[in-house]
Amino acid sequence: MAKKLEATEEQFQEALVFYRNAQKAPKSKTLVSQCDKNCDCYVEVELAKAAGIAGYRLGS
Amino acid sequence: MSCGECRGPSNEEGRRCAPFLVFRTDRHSYVYDGAINQIFRVTPDAARLADSFYRGEHGQEALVEELGAQAHGEAVRLLSSLRERTGVLTFRVPERVVADQVSAEDARDRLYSLVLNVTESCNLRCGYCVYGGAYPSKRAHGTSRMSWETAKAAIDYVADHSAKSTFAERLLGWYGGEPFLNFDVIKRSSAYFRERFKDYRIKFSITSNAVCWSEEMIDFLVANDVELTVSLDGEAEDHDAQRRNVGGGGTHAEVCENLVRLQRRSERYFRSKLNINAVISKDTDLARLNRYFRSFPARVSISTVEPRDLSEASLLPVRLTGWQEMRVLFQEGCQKRAFDSPQFKEMGYNFVYYLFIREMERIHRRQPASGFPAILPALGCCQPGMERIFVTCNGEIETCEKTDGSLGLRLGNLQQGAIDNERRTDIFDALNGMDFPDCRLCFNVRFCSICFAHALHNGELVPRKRRWNCDNLRRKSAEMLSFYCEVLENDPHAFDFIDEKLGT
């Protein structure tokens, strides 16, 4: 008989430490627009670069 | 292009792609699965096996040998259990990821936001300015000023095309050049905007270099609660290296002096409406920026310079130091519960808060999903001309200030009195027409904020430019996911302040 493919309960619970249940997901602030006057999509790329994670060598 | 290794199409480099990311912190290994938008903490062996497990190749002898039979078996059991009970690492990708165009009928009369480019004149000659003449698709410093008639026509256009907008506010921004060089139009347009939208909450915004402020201008900012963005690049040495006046002199002292005047006029305004934008254009130590801004009682964001061309040399990064130090400082702020109140600004965490909070919030707010829909609307694209327009000095209607000067993204002009819907369709078609198989297989698709502007180069939508920005965003998300988990490993309640802000 094939061995049942199940992890230990401890491993399983450990894996779910950051698991989100749909019902318990935090409410998002309502976004009425994808790109409003505070449109920051560009800034985010800029931030990424500035943060050293956008093709830059970390900690160099 | 079909990938010979995975079951989906590959990207241009033939990379093995899948919509999940395996990453680690110093203590643990994790899998983030974009299909279900969930993070799992797994054993190092399970992390090692995740990619082949996803592809159904985990039984390969080499893998069993590498991990050892027992460890391999345990890793497979863990991944199998997780897949069975949560759906993680199940092969499923959207058929298409598209910038989804709203129909002309649905897009009509939903404007609520207007940005007026009130002048092309500027009293500075910053070395990195996109209007400095070095960017082929961008105008050079000019002398054009928006007339009152054009400003009025733009406001009328928005007022006449906003009936279906459910947004509670009406927004007017002033851009330039240095917009205060056309203060008369700013004043008149603010009054007229209030008049046309008297039944709505009004919000004004302006981007200024803070070099030419009269007392009347400061009064205007405070009296109208104008959301203000000012560029200040940090220490005088750093700021003055780029931000110079027409005569070549540095402007740091004058900017700081004017900010002090503003703060003295209204501490409330200064703390609530001022946004500082620090532009990085050379090798930079984030710790140095942090020392300068750590107790600055205003929002601080960082931006870098748009590449002038797409050569390897232009895309080379500036070198940054101090990233790890910033991570430590942010975690310290979390652990001290500094971010529970605005007092974090006085506690020395101002810079790191704004450095990380947007991404931490985005990850923390993730909504679980049961998989991808067949057609996934993504790319972070707005609907050009639907809710917001940018109007040039001459009355041309553009998508936003980032697309200013890009003829391919121009939407119409006030003289003709309408946004050309065919132009909107052309814009969407151009972006969707770029072959983006990567998106279907990208772990970052739920965090992605790519828009039309990210693909713009010399006024055209260019795949290489978009890819460069995609790579940047993927690296950012990978780093931020790891940091998010690390923070919570050290303190499971570190982000409770985000939940509280959201009212959960």
Side-chain angles (χ1 to χ4, degrees):
Chain A
M1 197 170 106
K3 193 173 181 182
K4 197 172 180 190
L5 290 177
E6 278 196 2
T8 65
E9 190 58 25
E10 187 182 355
Q11 273 185 327
F12 191 75
Q13 291 307 321
E14 172 81 357
L16 299 183
V17 64
F18 296 144
Y19 190 78
R20 284 200 186 286
N21 292 313
Q23 310 90 297
K24 294 181 180 174
K27 295 171 195 164
S28 286
K29 287 176 180 171
T30 304
L31 292 176
V32 296
S33 170
Q34 287 177 297
C35 188
D36 66 10
K37 69 126 187 172
N38 290 319
C39 175
D40 53 15
C41 39
Y42 224 60
V43 171
E44 290 193 1
V45 176
E46 311 294 36
L47 174 63
K49 288 184 282 186
I53 52 181
Y56 302 122
R57 282 168 287 177
L58 293 181
S60 59
Chain B
M1 183 174 174
S2 178
C3 177
E5 296 178 314
C6 69
R7 285 173 287 183
S10 72
N11 63 16
E12 287 172 8
E13 288 88 32
R15 287 189 302 224
R16 288 165 61 101
C17 303
F20 66 88
L21 175 75
V22 178
F23 63 95
R24 57 168 301 114
T25 63
D26 285 346
R27 288 187 210 161
H28 296 288
S29 299
Y30 294 89
V31 171
Y32 165 75
D33 189 324
I36 56 175
N37 209 14
Q38 297 275 14
I39 300 170
F40 299 88
R41 181 183 292 171
V42 296
T43 61
D45 290 337
R48 169 69 186 86
L49 215 57
D51 186 71
S52 52
F53 182 82
Y54 173 79
R55 299 171 203 283
E57 299 166 353
H58 53 280
Q60 291 175 353
E61 273 184 36
L63 282 170
V64 178
E65 195 172 319
E66 178 188 331
L67 296 179
Q70 185 176 347
H72 180 273
E74 284 181 8
V76 171
R77 280 194 290 279
L78 175 58
L79 294 175
S80 298
S81 293
L82 288 172
R83 175 184 281 175
E84 184 183 329
R85 291 163 71 172
T86 69
V88 66
L89 296 176
T90 303
F91 180 80
R92 47 190 166 185
V93 295
E95 289 174 17
R96 283 190 299 146
V97 179
V98 298
D100 204 12
Q101 183 182 4
V102 169
S103 72
E105 180 56 31
D106 288 343
R108 188 170 298 136
D109 295 340
R110 289 177 60 181
L111 285 172
Y112 66 81
S113 177
L114 168 67
V115 178
L116 297 175
N117 195 44
V118 291
T119 180
E120 293 182 357
S121 298
C122 190
N123 49 342
L124 301 193
R125 291 295 180 268
C126 303
Y128 46 56
C129 182
V130 295
Y131 300 121
Y135 291 80
S137 69
K138 296 288 186 186
R139 62 173 174 78
H141 291 297
T143 56
S144 295
R145 291 156 60 90
M146 178 175 280
S147 67
W148 160 239
E149 288 72 25
T150 299
K152 180 177 180 298
I155 293 169
D156 285 337
Y157 183 83
V158 172
D160 294 342
H161 295 84
S162 62
K164 290 192 327 199
S165 173
T166 56
F167 196 53
E169 298 168 346
R170 294 294 182 263
L171 314 173
L172 174 61
W174 299 287
Y175 201 72
E178 166 50 46
F180 271 126
L181 295 181
N182 196 358
F183 188 36
D184 183 56
V185 163
I186 290 176
K187 286 185 290 186
R188 292 184 73 176
S189 58
S190 68
Y192 188 62
F193 198 79
R194 284 191 190 282
E195 185 183 325
R196 287 299 315 250
F197 295 107
K198 57 188 172 198
D199 295 329
Y200 293 90
R201 284 205 305 270
I202 302 295
K203 281 194 175 174
F204 298 125
S205 63
I206 194 167
T207 302
S208 171
N209 57 34
V211 170
C212 63
W213 290 355
S214 65
E215 291 301 307
E216 187 187 5
M217 291 168 187
I218 293 177
D219 287 343
F220 175 85
L221 290 170
V222 174
N224 290 285
D225 260 346
V226 180
E227 196 78 34
L228 168 66
T229 299
V230 169
S231 288
L232 176 61
D233 293 353
E235 302 280 358
E237 179 188 347
D238 302 322
H239 180 97
D240 289 342
Q242 291 285 339
R243 302 192 65 79
R244 296 172 174 272
N245 58 30
V246 176
T251 58
H252 185 269
E254 192 168 356
V255 170
C256 291
E257 187 181 313
N258 283 332
L259 290 177
V260 168
R261 288 169 62 209
L262 181 66
Q263 188 172 14
R264 284 182 182 151
R265 182 68 53 85
S266 173
E267 183 73 23
R268 176 203 61 79
Y269 175 84
F270 193 89
R271 296 177 72 92
S272 63
K273 297 296 176 183
L274 174 62
N275 305 279
I276 295 292
N277 177 41
V279 180
I280 291 177
S281 58
K282 63 179 180 59
D283 296 354
T284 296
D285 180 6
L286 289 172
R288 178 178 163 94
L289 272 180
N290 174 60
R291 281 193 295 276
Y292 189 82
F293 287 117
R294 61 183 300 167
S295 298
F296 206 94
R299 288 188 291 274
V300 178
S301 62
I302 292 175
S303 60
T304 53
V305 180
E306 179 74 0
R308 294 185 180 186
D309 57 59
L310 300 182
S311 66
E312 293 296 327
S314 288
L315 298 181
L316 274 179
V318 292
R319 296 178 64 186
L320 293 172
T321 52
W323 178 246
Q324 186 57 30
E325 197 175 325
M326 297 303 99
R327 286 173 55 129
V328 169
L329 195 58
F330 181 81
Q331 290 202 64
E332 183 185 288
C334 288
Q335 286 161 3
K336 288 184 177 176
R337 301 290 181 263
F339 305 130
D340 289 357
S341 82
Q343 300 309 312
F344 70 83
K345 293 178 179 178
E346 276 72 38
M347 297 168 72
Y349 299 111
N350 191 55
F351 183 74
V352 290
Y353 177 82
Y354 291 109
L355 187 62
F356 290 110
I357 191 59
R358 188 190 308 278
E359 294 312 314
M360 294 301 105
E361 282 192 350
R362 182 178 291 202
I363 297 170
H364 196 66
R365 289 179 194 167
R366 70 192 180 279
Q367 295 282 352
S370 55
F372 292 118
I375 297 177
L376 183 66
L379 302 169
C381 291
C382 69
Q383 298 289 328
M386 184 173 84
E387 295 180 313
R388 172 193 191 190
I389 55 172
F390 175 89
V391 175
T392 69
C393 293
N394 300 321
E396 304 286 355
I397 302 174
E398 309 260 14
T399 302
C400 72
E401 65 274 13
K402 293 147 205 155
T403 68
D404 177 24
S406 301
L407 295 180
L409 272 74
R410 183 162 288 172
L411 298 167
N413 62 62
L414 292 173
Q415 286 73 39
Q416 291 173 342
I419 289 175
D420 184 344
N421 196 60
E422 285 183 16
R423 297 302 306 273
R424 293 183 64 239
T425 302
D426 290 344
I427 293 169
F428 278 97
D429 286 350
L431 191 70
N432 287 323
M434 295 182 190
D435 189 19
F436 293 152
D438 312 39
C439 295
R440 300 176 57 224
L441 301 168
C442 177
F443 79 90
N444 199 34
V445 71
R446 292 193 189 274
F447 295 129
C448 181
S449 55
I450 287 284
C451 78
F452 303 101
H454 290 102
L456 267 180
H457 180 66
N458 286 350
E460 304 292 333
L461 297 175
V462 177
R464 179 170 158 76
K465 177 70 180 301
R466 178 189 174 280
R467 176 175 299 284
W468 178 71
N469 276 312
C470 282
D471 288 344
N472 292 341
L473 285 172
R474 279 194 284 266
R475 287 191 194 93
K476 176 181 75 168
S477 289
E479 168 68 13
M480 291 296 184
L481 277 164
S482 171
F483 184 50
Y484 173 82
C485 292
E486 181 183 311
V487 172
L488 288 178
E489 285 169 5
N490 292 329
D491 178 1
H493 297 290
F495 292 126
D496 285 0
F497 73 95
I498 295 177
D499 294 327
E500 285 158 15
K501 278 204 305 187
L502 293 168
T504 55

